[in-house]
Amino acid sequence: ARQREFCLLEAQGSLETDGTGGLRGQQKFAEIERLDNGQVLMRIGVHRAQGSLVKLKKPLAVLKKRVADDGSISYDIEAVVKEKFLFKLRPDVVL
């Protein structure tokens, strides 16, 4: 099976939502656009943050825990993370 690739999102401050269930309960919380100059633009509601796409020094694995009937535990690799969106500055408000 083909492994999926994920990307981390690193931001200053916290990500909050008005929806019930927080970020977990949302299918979509932001729009992220890669610009031609290598920068990344993220829009969350009326907020806009500019950042960059950074390659991780060491890739990370996303693991899924499995518990067998006999109680033994194993882990499956669900995805590999090789990059992160890095937002160093606080977002601007766009009206």
Side-chain angles (χ1 to χ4, degrees), residues 14-30:
S14 60
L15 297 173
E16 297 179 7
T17 178
D18 293 334
T20 59
L23 288 174
R24 286 180 184 244
Q26 299 216 356
Q27 293 293 321
K28 177 180 173 183
F29 75 94

Side-chain angles (χ1 to χ4, degrees), residues 17-55:
T17 178
D18 293 334
T20 59
L23 288 174
R24 286 180 184 244
Q26 299 216 356
Q27 293 293 321
K28 177 180 173 183
F29 75 94
E31 291 182 16
I32 299 177
E33 177 185 355
R34 288 185 184 189
L35 304 175
D36 292 337
N37 62 2
Q39 296 293 308
V40 178
L41 190 64
M42 177 173 63
R43 291 182 192 91
I44 303 175
V46 297
H47 297 92
R48 181 181 66 193
Q50 195 163 359
S52 58
L53 184 64
V54 178
K55 189 170 190 145

Side-chain angles (χ1 to χ4, degrees), residues 1-2 5-7 11 14 22-24 26 32-34 44 46 51 65-66 78 80 87 89 92 94:
R2 186 172 167 260
E5 286 193 25
F6 290 164
C7 188
S14 60
L23 288 174
R24 286 180 184 244
Q26 299 216 356
I32 299 177
E33 177 185 355
R34 288 185 184 189
I44 303 175
V46 297
K65 183 178 180 178
R66 286 192 305 153
E78 290 288 306
V80 176
F87 297 94
L89 304 174
D92 299 324
V94 180

Side-chain angles (χ1 to χ4, degrees), residues 45-81:
V46 297
H47 297 92
R48 181 181 66 193
Q50 195 163 359
S52 58
L53 184 64
V54 178
K55 189 170 190 145
L56 297 176
K57 290 180 184 178
K58 294 183 180 182
L60 301 173
V62 177
L63 305 176
K64 183 175 183 179
K65 183 178 180 178
R66 286 192 305 153
V67 180
D69 293 336
D70 64 0
S72 63
I73 297 172
S74 64
Y75 296 89
D76 295 329
I77 297 176
E78 290 288 306
V80 176
V81 180

Side-chain angles (χ1 to χ4, degrees), residues 1-13:
R2 186 172 167 260
Q3 291 176 347
R4 298 181 294 170
E5 286 193 25
F6 290 164
C7 188
L8 290 175
L9 186 131
E10 183 177 326
Q12 300 300 315

